[in-house]
Amino acid sequence: MINNTDAFAEYLLKEKNYSLLTLRAYLDDVRGFEQFIKKDDSGATLQDVHYTQVRSWIVSLVEEGGLSNRSVNRKIASLKAFYRFLLKAKQIEFSPLQKHKALKTEKKIHLPFSEKEMQDVVEYNDYPDDFEGVRNRLIIELLYTTGIRRAELISLHLGSYNAESSTLKVLGKRNKERIVPVLRCTSDVLSEYMVKRRALPEVIDSQVLILNASGKKVSESFVYRLINCYFSVVSGKVKKSPHVLRHTFATHLLNNGADLNSVKELLGHASLASTQVYTHSSLAELKKVYKDAHPRNRNNS
């Protein structure tokens, strides 16, 4: 019989279309649990564990490993996926996690950049007129005007942009493609960037859109450092990252009248629940408009 973890890995890769990074994370979590149950004398395998052993692992992760509830929930999600796979493959009759409830976590709220902060970075910053200056501006423009993820940005290739329709083909999570409109301002920077890109003395990753000065694909850490550097000048917010730019994209659209379903499609979310985390900021804006506009509030002020 094929090793269950090997079969699980093939299932995640071929049927669920998970990325290699996600695949490795799931397998690490399952193998971590497997190592844990091997430490006792019960002789239990992954196929015949009881929830009490899962609960003991959770306690160990929190008390000995010092993990947060959020990190523990992520590991348990991997384990749940593994046991769903075993059920589907008829390797077990019931999942030991069938009645498990996730640990309570505090909702993480990333404050978006204000429209003024965005204007200061995009319009008023003096970008050098060389390859790196134009490339840096393009990265910021793309993240803010399309809402794409950092991983999606660095995976863009030359054929991703359609100049005729001004759209961008984005490969999202689980290899799902979506088409995102590109604003004129971003298209202009993209055209300028392509001129600079063609003038590079050497291009190693020839099909990749966003390159460094050596002609290689940029890394995720590079994009993070770039965003942190540019926004540290204009913003005192603690978190300054590509994800905050994605959050800013969604919040500014909602604040200016976009409906939730449209924002969901633009972000590439599978459900509205994922998009609703961005509504707290637009709700704050709505409250301000409400207080400023309602006659009862005006009369009492």
Side-chain angles (χ1 to χ4, degrees), residues 1-8 26-38 40 42-51 53-54 57 78-80 82-87 91-97:
M1 184 177 67
I2 298 175
N3 181 287
N4 278 327
T5 52
D6 290 342
F8 179 54
Y26 272 57
L27 291 180
D28 285 347
D29 294 337
V30 173
R31 286 166 181 158
F33 177 63
E34 186 177 29
Q35 289 300 313
F36 176 80
I37 62 174
K38 281 181 178 179
D40 59 36
S42 66
T45 67
L46 285 171
Q47 287 163 268
D48 55 19
V49 300
H50 297 285
Y51 181 64
Q53 291 164 297
V54 177
W57 187 49
S78 301
L79 213 54
K80 276 188 171 183
F82 176 69
Y83 283 109
R84 280 198 300 270
F85 164 73
L86 291 186
L87 279 170
Q91 295 291 316
I92 57 173
E93 293 183 4
F94 67 92
S95 168
L97 286 142

Side-chain angles (χ1 to χ4, degrees), residues 145-148 178-181 246 249-276 278-279:
T145 64
T146 68
I148 59 176
R178 69 182 186 279
I179 304 297
V180 180
R246 179 171 162 85
F249 164 82
T251 302
H252 288 184
L253 285 180
L254 291 167
N255 283 350
N256 286 281
D259 69 273
L260 201 58
N261 266 309
S262 298
V263 176
K264 166 186 170 290
E265 294 301 318
L266 289 168
L267 291 172
H269 284 159
S271 69
L272 271 178
S274 299
T275 316
Q276 284 171 335
Y278 298 106
T279 60

Side-chain angles (χ1 to χ4, degrees), residues 225-236:
R225 290 195 305 271
L226 184 148
I227 298 303
N228 196 279
C229 176
Y230 276 90
F231 282 88
S232 291
V233 178
V234 301
S235 176

Side-chain angles (χ1 to χ4, degrees), residues 15-267:
E15 290 194 38
K16 302 296 286 183
N17 288 323
Y18 283 4
S19 69
L20 289 174
L21 193 65
T22 303
L23 172 66
R24 282 196 292 270
Y26 272 57
L27 291 180
D28 285 347
D29 294 337
V30 173
R31 286 166 181 158
F33 177 63
E34 186 177 29
Q35 289 300 313
F36 176 80
I37 62 174
K38 281 181 178 179
K39 290 178 182 177
D40 59 36
D41 298 323
S42 66
T45 67
L46 285 171
Q47 287 163 268
D48 55 19
V49 300
H50 297 285
Y51 181 64
T52 53
Q53 291 164 297
V54 177
R55 194 166 54 200
S56 295
W57 187 49
I58 292 172
V59 171
S60 172
L61 290 172
V62 174
E63 294 185 353
E64 296 174 26
L67 294 187
S68 66
N69 285 6
R70 189 178 299 277
S71 296
V72 171
N73 285 342
R74 187 190 62 76
K75 287 181 177 293
I76 296 301
S78 301
L79 213 54
K80 276 188 171 183
F82 176 69
Y83 283 109
R84 280 198 300 270
F85 164 73
L86 291 186
L87 279 170
K88 186 176 181 181
K90 301 190 185 312
Q91 295 291 316
I92 57 173
E93 293 183 4
F94 67 92
S95 168
L97 286 142
Q98 195 167 353
K99 295 183 179 180
H100 173 76
K101 292 183 179 179
L103 304 182
K104 289 185 178 180
T105 60
E106 291 184 5
K107 289 187 176 181
K108 291 171 75 175
I109 297 177
H110 296 303
L111 289 176
F113 298 118
S114 67
E115 291 190 29
K116 183 184 183 304
E117 287 171 333
M118 288 308 310
Q119 191 174 38
D120 287 345
V121 169
V122 175
E123 295 182 17
Y124 298 146
N125 189 66
D126 187 20
Y127 294 91
D129 189 31
D130 57 10
F131 171 79
E132 291 187 337
V134 176
R135 187 270 323 277
N136 292 354
R137 184 179 176 187
L138 175 63
I139 288 175
I140 294 169
E141 284 275 10
L142 282 170
L143 290 172
Y144 176 52
T145 64
T146 68
I148 59 176
R149 302 175 177 92
R150 174 175 52 173
E152 294 169 345
L153 172 86
I154 66 175
S155 296
L156 293 173
H157 51 82
L158 291 179
S160 298
Y161 176 63
N162 185 321
E164 188 174 336
S165 61
S166 292
T167 55
L168 198 65
K169 184 183 289 185
V170 180
L171 187 63
K173 289 184 175 180
R174 303 184 187 180
N175 291 326
K176 289 185 177 179
E177 282 189 349
R178 69 182 186 279
I179 304 297
V180 180
V182 178
L183 298 180
R184 175 66 182 272
C185 58
T186 306
S187 294
D188 290 344
V189 180
L190 186 50
S191 298
E192 187 180 354
Y193 167 76
M194 289 307 298
V195 173
K196 304 287 187 184
R197 186 187 184 281
R198 285 191 287 269
L200 286 174
E202 183 181 20
V203 174
I204 296 170
D205 295 321
S206 59
Q207 294 305 307
V208 174
L209 180 63
I210 308 296
L211 302 174
N212 60 27
S214 300
K216 296 179 181 178
K217 180 179 180 179
V218 298
S219 67
E220 290 199 7
S221 59
F222 169 81
V223 177
Y224 180 89
R225 290 195 305 271
L226 184 148
I227 298 303
N228 196 279
C229 176
Y230 276 90
F231 282 88
S232 291
V233 178
V234 301
S235 176
K237 291 180 174 66
V238 174
K239 189 74 172 175
K240 296 176 281 288
S241 68
H243 184 72
V244 174
L245 265 182
R246 179 171 162 85
H247 183 69
T248 302
F249 164 82
T251 302
H252 288 184
L253 285 180
L254 291 167
N255 283 350
N256 286 281
D259 69 273
L260 201 58
N261 266 309
S262 298
V263 176
K264 166 186 170 290
E265 294 301 318
L266 289 168
L267 291 172

